[in-house]
Amino acid sequence: MKKATVNYWTDVVIGIAFVGSALSGLVFLLPGDPATGVLGLSYVVWNDLHTWSSLALIAGVGAHLVLHWRWMVTMTVRMLPFRSRREAPAHGLAGAEAGGAAMSRRAFLALGGMTALAAG
């Protein structure tokens, strides 16, 4: 299967799971009788729908990140002033443009962790 097709279906799953999770989450904000539920569905059914669609959303986003990992690292190298472990060539290119891996996966995750800590 082509990468574009895999990306498309991954995004479709993410979109459907988001709609299911968002709508079922909004149901819990509505005032209603727990015995009758909302729109003919009990709160137990809405809770199950919310749980499973949220898990599908998490899995879809995880797959999306795996499929786009190389692009994320390349864009991070381009957007932030990181230098490659190798010296840049004389014409001034650094990072992925120089042909070397500018940031390891571990360094990228450490940067993300530090960013999350700073944001928190």
Side-chain angles (χ1 to χ4, degrees):
M1 193 179 308
K2 291 184 178 183
K3 187 173 182 177
T5 305
V6 173
N7 285 334
Y8 172 78
W9 286 111
T10 301
D11 291 346
V12 167
V13 168
I14 290 171
I16 291 170
F18 171 76
V19 169
S21 181
L23 289 177
S24 60
L26 289 173
V27 165
F28 294 117
L29 296 176
L30 297 174
D33 183 18
T36 59
V38 176
L39 298 175
L41 298 175
S42 71
Y43 280 101
V44 172
V45 173
W46 283 110
N47 185 44
D48 288 344
L49 177 65
H50 186 70
T51 299
W52 286 105
S53 61
S54 297
L55 289 173
L57 181 61
I58 292 168
V61 169
H64 185 81
L65 292 174
V66 168
L67 289 169
H68 294 88
W69 182 257
R70 182 171 292 171
W71 178 84
M72 290 186 305
V73 171
T74 300
M75 289 305 297
T76 301
V77 168
R78 288 183 184 177
M79 300 302 284
L80 298 175
F82 288 111
R83 304 263 326 154
S84 174
R85 289 185 183 146
R86 302 179 205 166
E87 286 300 317
H91 57 281
L93 293 177
E97 298 152 335
M103 184 186 306
S104 68
R105 187 174 291 209
R106 181 175 291 183
F108 182 77
L109 292 173
L111 174 67
M114 295 304 290
T115 303
L117 285 174

